[in-house]
Amino acid sequence: MDAYYLTEPLEGTDFLPKSTQTMARNLQWWFKVSVHTILVLAGQSVATLLGRFYYDQGGKSKWLQTLTFSAGFPILYLPLLITTHSSSSSTSHPLPLVKITVIYIILGLMATGDSLMYSYGLLYLSVSTYSLVSATQLGFNAVFSYFINSERFTHLTFNSVIILTFSAAIIAFQPASDDSSETSGGKYMLGFILTLAASATYSLNLSLMELTFDKIIKCRALSAVLNMQIYTALVSTVGAIIGLFASGEWRELKKDMEGFNQGRLSYVMTLVWTSICWQVTNVGLVGLIFEVSSLFSNVISSLAVPIAPVFAVILFHDTINGIKVMSLLMALWGFVSYFYQHYLDYKKEKTALLGVRESMQLNGRV
């Protein structure tokens, strides 16, 4: 976990601010992280519920649902413009245009495939089951971060991965008849496998983004993170549009709209707000990547797991049976292990920095 929240970089005597300045900066950091966390949890939960609402009310287009994951990316230009005008942060070296373009295309197309698999998951699984299976992205992220981003793999991290794996396995053995999505056994298993694959792809994509920042962009400026989100979302949107037309689903869109139980206006607004909510989520994720790390952003994203099922029970009358309760408890256990590891890392880094500060203060008296 990166120590962006503790102090400024170690450069000269400016590293040692007054205690009140340090406290104000830490409070400001916690406020920013709290706001970004709320954006992620609220945006992701509402977007997931709206995605299921689309299918429940008669919507059938998987590619149109896929499009909502990225089509709202133009709203990211607003924070980008604010960042550009309020900050002079920029990359310290010119980016290799061909290389970065290829990377954006690969990551964007991966996001398209990832979104399509999530769309199938929402179609064939209830919100509660979908959310619990999606929780495995935290475990996948831990593994990919270890191999790709050289993150530490502690016994608590390992415990989290194992518990989240068992949590998903329990759901896999749940009979399709026990799931409120009313799908056949074959479609239920397809939805489970595709959601699991989507979680793995999402985590891999996030780790590759982190690697791109470290090896190619070599900059953590907010504008650089926003550009990464915008251009990959642009590629993903183009990929979804191509899929919409190549699959022939575009011919059925008028029929899809007319068959929507809540009417045309509700159909359009459902898709629009789903897209907006996913971008609100992305804004929060971008903020967490900038303030902390991509690994931490995935941890927060996974926290939406216990939120969506609660609202699904109220709005869609999802059934929460014993298997789902056990899976949810195991997922929460995995989250607690992961958060406790972050807490230990925080204390360790804080103690080390305080030691450096006291040493520098002592040398200053000599």
Side-chain angles (χ1 to χ4, degrees):
M1 183 175 177
D2 299 332
Y4 300 135
Y5 46 87
L6 292 177
T7 183
E8 297 291 332
L10 276 164
E11 292 183 2
T13 58
D14 290 340
F15 171 73
L16 297 172
K18 295 179 180 179
S19 59
T20 54
Q21 293 173 331
T22 302
M23 182 178 296
R25 185 163 54 247
N26 286 341
L27 288 175
Q28 186 180 33
W29 180 87
W30 279 111
F31 176 76
K32 290 179 180 179
V33 170
S34 298
V35 171
H36 295 320
T37 299
I38 291 172
L39 290 178
V40 172
L41 296 179
Q44 182 172 309
S45 298
V46 174
T48 300
L49 293 170
L50 285 175
R52 184 63 212 180
F53 178 78
Y54 167 79
Y55 287 129
D56 276 1
Q57 298 301 314
K60 294 180 174 61
S61 177
K62 275 83 69 179
W63 280 106
L64 191 60
Q65 187 69 254
T66 300
L67 190 59
T68 64
F69 282 84
S70 59
F73 74 90
I75 71 173
L76 293 178
Y77 278 106
L78 179 60
L80 179 61
L81 290 174
I82 295 174
T83 302
T84 302
H85 288 296
S86 63
S87 174
S88 59
S89 297
S90 60
T91 54
S92 58
H93 62 95
L95 295 177
L97 183 60
V98 175
K99 182 179 290 187
I100 200 67
T101 299
V102 171
I103 290 173
Y104 284 160
I105 291 174
I106 292 174
L107 293 178
L109 292 179
M110 284 179 62
T112 301
D114 179 53
S115 301
L116 180 62
M117 289 187 288
Y118 273 132
S119 297
Y120 272 96
L122 274 173
L123 175 61
Y124 293 142
L125 302 177
S126 66
V127 173
S128 55
T129 302
Y130 167 87
S131 299
L132 289 169
V133 177
S134 296
T136 56
Q137 70 188 38
L138 183 59
F140 284 121
N141 196 203
V143 174
F144 288 132
S145 293
Y146 174 79
F147 287 105
I148 297 176
N149 308 119
S150 302
E151 293 279 357
R152 293 190 307 115
F153 207 76
T154 67
H155 67 282
L156 285 174
T157 307
F158 182 74
N159 175 73
S160 177
V161 172
I162 296 299
I163 294 301
L164 288 169
T165 300
F166 283 145
S167 174
I170 290 175
I171 290 293
F173 290 108
Q174 174 183 252
S177 58
D178 291 345
D179 193 73
S180 57
S181 57
E182 297 180 359
T183 57
S184 64
K187 290 182 177 180
Y188 174 86
M189 188 53 61
L190 177 62
F192 175 88
I193 293 173
L194 289 177
T195 303
L196 193 65
S199 298
T201 304
Y202 175 82
S203 298
L204 176 60
N205 205 326
L206 207 60
S207 291
L208 291 176
M209 283 186 177
E210 184 87 6
L211 184 66
T212 301
F213 279 118
D214 293 339
K215 302 298 183 181
I216 306 298
I217 299 177
K218 298 179 180 179
C219 175
R220 290 291 185 124
L222 183 56
S223 58
V225 181
L226 284 169
N227 278 321
M228 167 74 80
Q229 289 286 338
I230 288 171
Y231 290 119
T232 54
L234 172 62
V235 173
S236 181
T237 300
V238 172
I241 292 174
I242 292 174
L244 182 65
F245 281 90
S247 66
E249 282 190 1
W250 66 275
R251 299 189 184 92
E252 303 294 325
L253 291 185
K254 183 178 180 181
K255 181 179 178 182
D256 198 46
M257 180 186 294
E258 293 175 347
F260 198 72
N261 295 338
Q262 300 298 319
R264 295 187 178 186
L265 179 61
S266 179
Y267 178 88
V268 174
M269 294 307 295
T270 298
L271 295 173
V272 169
W273 281 106
T274 302
S275 185
I276 291 175
C277 286
W278 280 124
Q279 294 313 308
V280 167
T281 304
N282 286 336
V283 169
L285 289 172
V286 165
L288 291 176
I289 290 173
F290 177 68
E291 296 291 345
V292 192
S293 69
S294 64
L295 186 59
F296 185 77
S297 71
N298 204 343
V299 173
I300 296 300
S301 176
S302 299
L303 270 181
V305 169
I307 297 176
V310 172
F311 285 98
V313 171
I314 299 172
L315 299 175
F316 305 125
H317 307 293
D318 270 14
T319 56
I320 300 294
N321 53 30
I323 292 178
K324 289 183 181 180
V325 171
M326 183 63 68
S327 177
L328 178 59
L329 291 175
M330 294 183 73
L332 291 175
W333 182 4
F335 295 149
V336 169
S337 297
Y338 219 102
F339 269 109
Y340 186 62
Q341 182 61 62
H342 278 290
Y343 171 72
L344 293 179
D345 291 342
Y346 168 82
K347 287 189 65 177
K348 183 179 179 180
E349 290 168 355
K350 185 176 181 179
T351 301
L353 287 172
L354 287 175
V356 172
R357 180 180 301 170
E358 291 174 357
S359 176
M360 292 181 70
Q361 288 175 336
L362 180 61
N363 291 335
R365 296 192 188 101
V366 175

